[in-house]
Amino acid sequence: MEIRKKIVVKNPEGLHARPATELVKALSEVSSEVYIVYKGMKANAKSILNILSLGVDPGAEVEVIVSGEDAEKAIEIVEAILNEEAKD
Amino acid sequence: MRRQKTDVIQVPRDNIVVEGYGLGTLKVLKRKRIVDKQFVNLEDIKLTAKTLSSELGKIVSDPSLPREVREISQVHQLLLEDPFLWKKLEDASVDGKIKIEDYERIRDEIISLLLSTGNPLIQQRVDDIKDLFRNLLLGSSERLDNLRGSVVYSEEFLPSDVMKLSILGVKALLSTQGSHTTHAAILARAFEIPYIIRLPNLSEYEEKRVFVDAVEGKIIINPNETNIHEYERIIEKYTKEKEEIEKYGELKFDDIKIMANISVPQEIEVAKKKGADGIGLFRTEFLFVGRDNPPSEEEQYLVYKKALETFYPEEVVIRLLDIGGDKKIEYLAVDNEENPFLGLRGIRLLLKHKEILKTQLRALLRASAHGNLSVLVPMVTLPEDIEKLLEIIQETKEELLAEGKEIGSFKLGIMVEVPSVIWLIEKIAPYIDFVSIGTNDLTQYIFAADRNNPSVAKYYQDEHEVIFEIIATIAEKAKKFNLPVGVCGELAGKLGATEKLSQLGVTKLSVSPFKVPFIKRKIYEIQTGQERTYKG
């Protein structure tokens, strides 16, 4: 199954070290492939290096593409982390 | 010729990453030469990665360590396991071996990928990549034992250096490169190791005794015996104070608030931990510098909103972009000025670049719905500056409302830092809700002395009677208009000035986060009559 979804990154840190770490960690539990597309660049969301090199700022819109058996769970994880507005 | 005389290196406050004092022998961190060999075995580095990852795993899951340390270790652990990295290394290997030049090429490619994002926070992860590639080659074997208990100088510190050096009880870190937001800086803060960046090369002082004053900002090389005793006393007093000071952070006073000055987002949490009664000066320059384009409205909105929510219901004073003078950004070109400090700075520049100002105002107005916001205007010189700004604010509000955006309310205040305002405050007062005295620039303009120029340092006196008189005048005039008065310059953090400032009617002091509990203790002592040391 493939799901494509546009998501606005509401995390005030954008996709910098902390949220990127959370994302990679959380996605290690799913088998689906997960990609984030930003400004025409496509990154493997299970690679912290790939995510960081996108340089996604807070407030930016990205497209998330997931494919695999647990695609729905994967998209939920991505959405939750990208939408996380404030974290202590 | 080897120097024996005492040298003093003055350090601008901005270069102090972690406050504190350190006394010891200056040692230079000499890194192991990366390699003399020409190849690296893929299996060897895989094994090293496994060992390092399990070492980091222990740190990540050790709740007794500071949260920052665990978080950074987690990033490093994920870097060690990164599929993109290993694919690149595997692709470069032939018969299980990678040429050292290919290994370094991969490192540099990854570094340039991060640099090309144009985002300063991501660019600062470059030191993590350097760290990763070094550690993969050297394992955790690099021994720094000879640096135990010393003051350590290095061109740059990588995060794992700081981890190792903290275990060795180093007294202070000094470097030529670095910034406030690198992982090395965050770790030094977590371990409370005094750390100063952007220094000249100090290798020539190797093995000399040095005293690092990362509070006032100086490094004394080859101090004499009498001074050493004095420094030991300072350190002893500071250490003792630090142990007992934290509890004062919890105090609240009815008549005065002790707030924090913030330059980078990481300081927000430090300020909260130290007990700040809100943010008295949130500098927004970090959002704008070191990148090719200004931050979007949305990016700014999310950052301001987080600061407001973190401190709610306390006040957060966010200063409009204060660029010009010595602070420049590339996409906001200012013609070469003969006297930049008397040139297009602060609000003067923003009024010329309305698009930047409006984006910031839109973000601030939207964020105002989420907390107790005050907006501070830098470099106000004439009432016209504020009149013009108010028109733009009104226009921005109407636009946002027409778009159906939710906005809250905020207070508007000005920095008193240009002498003209001392006489014009009555004319400006009807338009504003508070004033904040920026004693650094004010002192500079009153005494016509650049505070970063050592040749005129004696003319820069922010504790001069004249400055207190000006503060008294402003406070008196502001009172007629019911405007609260705050001080957010260095003077606010000087213990010798606290009592006088509070007597003059100042109701908000905004200081570096680390100073919050010290100033709170001082206020407590003044109010309970426990100590009366200031003689005015």
Side-chain angles (χ1 to χ4, degrees):
Chain A
M1 181 163 77
E2 185 181 278
I3 305 175
R4 285 169 177 260
K5 192 164 188 179
K6 290 206 160 95
I7 299 176
V8 174
V9 180
K10 290 188 185 153
N11 193 306
E13 293 178 58
L15 269 181
H16 304 171
R18 193 192 321 203
T21 308
E22 271 182 59
L23 190 60
V24 175
K25 233 171 59 184
L27 287 178
S28 68
E29 289 163 21
V30 298
S31 62
S32 293
E33 291 193 340
V34 184
Y35 292 95
I36 295 177
V37 184
Y38 179 63
K39 289 187 179 165
M41 288 189 296
K42 191 173 172 187
N44 176 1
K46 292 182 177 180
S47 156
I48 187 160
L49 281 171
N50 268 202
I51 300 178
L52 289 178
S53 58
L54 286 180
V56 182
D57 290 324
E61 187 184 73
V62 297
E63 187 181 15
V64 181
I65 305 171
V66 292
S67 55
E69 280 177 9
D70 49 7
E72 277 177 7
K73 187 180 170 198
I75 198 98
E76 268 176 34
I77 290 175
V78 179
E79 207 160 15
I81 292 170
L82 267 51
N83 276 334
E84 195 164 36
E85 293 197 12
K87 192 174 159 65
D88 297 323
Chain B
M1 195 178 78
R2 291 180 70 79
R3 297 177 189 221
Q4 285 307 324
K5 66 177 178 52
T6 300
D7 278 351
V8 179
I9 299 172
Q10 291 290 339
V11 178
R13 291 264 332 157
D14 287 353
N15 298 1
I16 299 173
V17 174
V18 184
E19 289 190 7
Y21 298 96
L23 178 67
T25 307
L26 185 98
K27 299 246 169 115
V28 179
L29 189 157
K30 294 195 182 83
R31 296 180 194 285
K32 236 188 200 176
R33 301 269 321 140
I34 277 221
V35 239
D36 298 323
K37 50 186 179 182
Q38 292 180 312
F39 292 96
V40 48
N41 272 326
L42 189 60
E43 281 311 310
D44 289 350
I45 54 172
K46 273 189 182 165
L47 209 64
T48 308
K50 224 172 158 184
T51 316
L52 288 171
S53 173
S54 100
E55 282 174 17
L56 287 167
K58 282 183 207 145
I59 298 175
V60 173
S61 55
D62 182 349
S64 69
L65 288 166
R67 192 184 71 185
E68 297 90 330
V69 176
R70 287 182 280 133
E71 280 179 1
I72 292 169
S73 301
Q74 172 89 73
V75 175
H76 283 219
Q77 200 182 15
L78 291 180
L79 286 172
L80 281 168
E81 294 163 3
D82 196 277
F84 176 74
L85 166 76
W86 288 105
K87 170 131 193 355
K88 279 202 162 265
L89 291 171
E90 297 213 2
D91 288 351
S93 73
V94 179
D95 297 334
K97 287 181 193 309
I98 306 171
K99 275 191 194 157
I100 278 296
E101 60 220 53
D102 286 335
Y103 183 79
E104 290 178 341
R105 177 181 48 77
I106 294 170
R107 176 196 61 197
D108 295 344
E109 275 173 19
I110 293 176
I111 287 175
S112 55
L113 260 180
L114 297 189
L115 289 176
S116 69
T117 60
N119 183 306
L121 286 177
I122 290 179
Q123 289 170 340
Q124 274 154 18
R125 298 293 77 87
V126 163
D127 62 351
D128 298 87
I129 305 300
K130 288 185 192 165
D131 213 359
L132 169 75
F133 276 81
R134 275 188 65 76
N135 290 339
L136 275 181
L137 269 195
L138 301 171
S140 52
S141 67
E142 195 172 29
R143 307 201 62 86
L144 305 171
D145 282 355
N146 62 319
L147 304 175
R148 190 179 292 278
S150 56
V151 169
V152 182
Y153 163 77
S154 175
E155 241 175 60
E156 62 176 340
F157 289 105
L158 300 176
S160 66
D161 296 333
V162 182
M163 295 262 225
K164 288 176 198 160
L165 293 172
S166 78
I167 297 166
L168 296 172
V170 300
K171 303 289 190 234
L173 303 173
L174 307 173
S175 69
T176 34
Q177 298 172 23
S179 91
H180 289 262
T181 49
T182 58
H183 276 163
I186 295 167
L187 288 170
R189 219 171 275 137
F191 292 122
E192 303 196 16
I193 310 172
Y195 180 22
I196 306 180
I197 55 171
R198 297 195 284 260
L199 286 164
N201 189 324
L202 301 175
S203 312
E204 62 170 309
Y205 301 115
E206 185 157 26
E207 297 301 328
K208 301 274 180 230
R209 196 79 175 266
V210 289
F211 175 62
V212 177
D213 176 348
V215 174
E216 294 296 326
K218 55 186 176 222
I219 299 168
I220 293 140
I221 293 147
N222 269 329
N224 64 35
E225 282 307 311
T226 326
N227 287 341
I228 287 177
H229 290 311
E230 168 70 4
Y231 299 147
E232 282 167 347
R233 269 198 299 276
I234 292 177
I235 294 174
E236 198 185 329
K237 192 169 165 232
Y238 186 80
T239 315
K240 216 173 124 195
E241 277 186 329
K242 226 169 65 179
E243 283 165 13
E244 57 139 20
I245 200 76
E246 298 299 321
K247 61 175 190 275
Y248 289 95
E250 303 303 316
L251 292 177
K252 300 269 175 216
F253 307 100
D254 294 334
D255 47 354
I256 191 158
K257 282 192 184 290
I258 311 304
M259 306 167 87
N261 293 340
I262 301 290
S263 304
V264 288
Q266 286 81 355
E267 287 175 326
I268 296 176
E269 281 170 26
V270 182
K272 185 92 184 156
K273 241 194 266 175
K274 296 281 172 188
D277 305 327
I279 298 178
L281 175 63
F282 186 100
R283 302 183 173 99
T284 54
E285 290 73 60
F286 73 88
L287 279 162
F288 292 82
V289 296
R291 55 198 287 170
D292 302 330
N293 296 298
S296 68
E297 173 187 328
E298 200 62 25
E299 178 172 357
Q300 293 187 57
Y301 162 72
L302 291 166
V303 172
Y304 304 153
K305 179 167 167 270
K306 183 179 180 194
L308 285 160
E309 285 174 343
T310 306
F311 271 96
Y312 186 80
E314 300 280 17
E315 181 188 15
V316 173
V317 181
I318 300 183
R319 185 172 68 185
L320 294 178
L321 176 65
D322 189 11
I323 285 290
D326 58 339
K327 296 173 281 184
K328 302 239 181 320
I329 45 182
E330 281 175 12
Y331 51 86
L332 244 179
V334 174
D335 293 337
N336 264 344
E337 297 176 302
E338 251 180 65
N339 291 305
F341 281 101
L342 303 179
L344 209 51
R345 300 186 55 184
I347 188 65
R348 301 173 179 182
L349 181 67
L350 291 176
L351 291 174
K352 288 252 183 222
H353 287 271
K354 199 174 156 189
E355 69 295 348
I356 300 265
L357 173 61
K358 276 195 77 162
T359 307
Q360 190 168 30
L361 287 173
R362 283 177 64 95
L364 284 166
L365 278 161
R366 286 175 54 206
S368 68
H370 303 278
N372 183 3
L373 173 69
S374 291
V375 174
L376 185 59
V377 191
M379 200 67 189
V380 171
T381 315
L382 292 166
E384 291 93 292
D385 293 336
I386 290 296
E387 284 168 9
K388 184 77 199 141
L389 176 66
L390 283 171
E391 279 172 28
I392 300 172
I393 291 175
Q394 188 54 33
E395 182 187 303
T396 314
K397 261 187 195 168
E398 284 165 15
E399 280 169 17
L400 285 166
L401 291 172
E403 291 166 26
K405 296 266 185 346
E406 192 194 347
I407 59 175
S409 62
F410 66 87
K411 295 195 172 77
L412 186 70
I414 60 158
M415 295 276 286
V416 175
E417 51 190 340
V418 179
S420 64
V421 172
I422 305 162
W423 291 275
L424 290 169
I425 189 79
E426 284 115 326
K427 294 217 162 62
I428 300 172
Y431 301 117
I432 57 173
D433 306 298
F434 68 98
V435 295
S436 184
I437 304 175
T439 49
N440 300 353
D441 273 333
L442 182 65
T443 306
Q444 168 163 285
Y445 291 126
I446 288 291
F447 291 107
D450 176 353
R451 67 192 160 108
N452 296 322
N453 179 349
S455 332
V456 294
K458 69 168 183 174
Y459 295 105
Y460 180 89
Q461 296 187 26
D462 66 349
E463 289 178 271
H464 196 285
E465 198 184 320
V466 164
I467 300 297
F468 287 106
E469 270 180 36
I470 292 172
I471 295 171
T473 307
I474 293 288
E476 204 178 302
K477 293 183 177 188
K479 205 173 167 187
K480 288 185 202 148
F481 294 88
N482 280 326
L483 301 181
V485 176
V487 173
C488 63
E490 303 268 316
L491 185 63
K494 292 188 176 172
L495 291 169
T498 312
E499 182 162 17
K500 192 143 188 182
L501 289 173
S502 62
Q503 283 166 351
L504 294 178
V506 170
T507 55
K508 284 188 244 172
L509 294 174
S510 194
V511 300
S512 91
F514 287 96
K515 289 214 170 111
V516 167
F518 287 92
I519 300 291
K520 283 198 169 185
R521 183 181 59 185
K522 184 74 190 173
I523 301 276
Y524 173 79
E525 287 169 354
I526 294 165
Q527 296 197 345
T528 55
Q530 282 191 358
E531 193 190 84
R532 292 256 162 195
T533 49
Y534 189 74
K535 299 283 185 271

